[in-house]
Amino acid sequence: MKKLNGKIVDEEEKKVVETYSNGVGVSVGFPQSHQNLVVGYALTVKKETSFLKPNFRGLARTKGIKFVCIDVNRPLSDQGPFDVVLHKDYRHKHPEVTVLDPPDAIQHLRNRKSMLQDVVDLNLSDCHGKVGVPRQIVVTKDPSSIPSEVTKAGLKLPLVAKPLLVDGTAKSHKLFVAYDQLSLAKLEPPLVLQEFVNHGGIVFKVYIVGESITVVRRFSLPNHGKRDLSKVAGMYPVPRVSSYLSSADDADLDPSIAEHPPRPLLEKLATELRRRLGLRLFNIDMIREHGTRDVFYVIDINYFPGYGKMPDYERVFTEFLLSLVQSKFKKRIAT
C-alpha cells in the first residue's frame, strides 16, 4: 500500500492516478438522466485547482454537467454511474463506453523522439502555408559524446535542449539553450537537441478541444544573429512561455510577427493530428520563421495542457463535453 495525495491506495490504483494525473483516459457513456451529465475525475491537486475553477464548475452546472471526484480507495465499479470518466479502468468493466484519448496514444506525446514524427510526415499543400519541425537529434549517451553527435548531424548552434521524456514533472519542461560546443558537454542525456529557429520572439499556442481551435500568443526567446552569437557563450535556461505573464496578445507588435497562422492551415493541421495521434485534447506550440509569412515550425505538442490559461476555456470545454454525449446519442439513433 502507498500514500498518494494524502490517501492510501494500492500499487494498481497508484499507477492509474499517476498515469492519468493530467486528465487522460476520458471515457464517454450516455447521460444517466435528462438533467445531468456526470463527469468523474481523478486529477492531481494541482491539475484540479488549475482546471476545475469555480467559474468552470458554475458554467458547467448551468448546462447540467456535474463533476464528481473519484475515490481512489474504492473500486471504480462501485462509484458513479458516470457519463464521462477520466479513469482508464472504467472501460474494462464497461465495454459499452467509448474511450476517448486512449493511453497508448497519449504515450506517443510523452517522448520527444516520437512527439513530432506525425508533423514530419504531413503534407499540408494548398493550406496557405508550410509546416515542419526544426532539425533535431536524440542523445542518449554520456554528455562527453554530445559535441561529436552534434557535429556529425550537422546541427547549427544555438541548440535548444529538451528532456527526452515528458512525464508531467517540472524537470521535463526545463529547457536550455546552448550557444557553444563546450556547453553541450554539460547537458544531461537522455535529451533532444533542436536547432533554434529565429521567430521574432513569439510562439503561438494552439489549443485543441475536440473540433475547437483557440490560438494565443506568448513571448519567447529573441532572434539571434551571427554577430550576437559571437558574443554569447554558455548555456541558459529557457523561461516558461505558458504563463499569463508571458502573454503577447495585447502587445503592440509588428504585424508580420504577431499575425496568427492562417486559419485554413490550423484547421488542416488540427484535423490531421487528431486523426494521426488519435487524440482530441492537446495543444501545439508553433513558431513562424522570422522573415517569412507562411513558414511555420511545430516545436512541441502537449497532451491535456493548462486549459485554465486558455481564453474562454469554460465555455469551450463545456460545449465539448456536451458534444461528446450528443454525438454518441446520434450514432445510437442511427443504428
Side-chain angles (χ1 to χ4, degrees), residues 62-286:
T62 65
K63 301 294 184 179
I65 300 174
K66 180 181 179 181
F67 292 98
V68 177
C69 182
I70 294 172
D71 186 349
V72 296
N73 295 309
R74 297 167 49 205
L76 191 59
S77 57
D78 293 346
Q79 303 179 61
F82 301 112
D83 304 306
V84 179
V85 180
L86 285 76
H87 198 302
K88 76 170 182 180
D89 282 352
Y90 197 77
R91 65 174 180 164
H92 299 305
K93 298 172 182 177
H94 298 269
E96 77 281 3
V97 172
T98 299
V99 176
L100 173 69
D101 295 353
D104 55 344
I106 295 163
Q107 291 304 315
H108 188 72
L109 296 186
R110 297 201 182 279
N111 187 312
R112 285 193 167 98
K113 180 178 180 179
S114 58
M115 176 189 289
L116 303 180
Q117 187 57 50
D118 287 296
V119 180
V120 174
D121 296 336
L122 285 178
N123 179 18
L124 301 182
S125 57
D126 302 324
C127 289
H128 305 277
K130 301 176 182 178
V131 178
V133 301
R135 296 178 62 202
Q136 66 177 36
I137 61 171
V138 175
V139 179
T140 59
K141 300 178 181 179
D142 64 280
S144 63
S145 70
I146 297 178
S148 61
E149 291 285 333
V150 167
T151 300
K152 182 179 178 181
L155 296 186
K156 297 179 181 179
L157 293 165
L159 297 174
V160 181
K162 305 180 179 182
L164 180 61
L165 300 181
V166 183
D167 56 9
T169 64
K171 183 178 180 181
S172 68
H173 293 285
K174 200 169 184 179
L175 279 53
F176 292 89
V177 176
Y179 290 94
D180 58 57
Q181 289 277 349
L182 290 177
S183 61
L184 293 174
K186 299 177 183 178
L187 296 169
E188 298 180 15
L191 52 82
V192 168
L193 289 174
Q194 200 174 78
E195 277 191 342
F196 182 87
V197 177
N198 281 338
H199 53 282
I202 294 293
V203 60
F204 301 98
K205 299 191 76 69
V206 184
Y207 291 94
I208 309 297
V209 182
E211 301 295 319
S212 172
I213 302 173
T214 303
V215 184
V216 298
R217 288 190 297 263
R218 294 284 186 265
F219 284 115
S220 180
L221 296 176
N223 291 343
H224 296 296
K226 291 183 178 180
R227 181 177 299 179
D228 298 326
L229 294 177
S230 65
K231 301 177 182 179
V232 180
M235 182 172 60
Y236 299 89
V238 178
R240 293 291 298 271
V241 298
S242 59
S243 69
Y244 285 119
L245 296 178
S246 65
S247 175
D249 283 334
D250 298 323
D252 185 14
L253 299 170
D254 184 332
S256 66
I257 295 174
E259 183 182 10
H260 284 184
R263 193 71 185 183
L265 182 69
L266 292 178
E267 290 175 350
K268 181 66 173 178
L269 177 62
T271 298
E272 285 296 321
L273 288 181
R274 275 194 298 262
R275 181 178 66 83
R276 290 167 178 259
L277 297 174
L279 301 173
R280 299 184 69 182
L281 299 173
F282 59 96
N283 94 289
I284 307 163
D285 288 349
M286 293 179 66

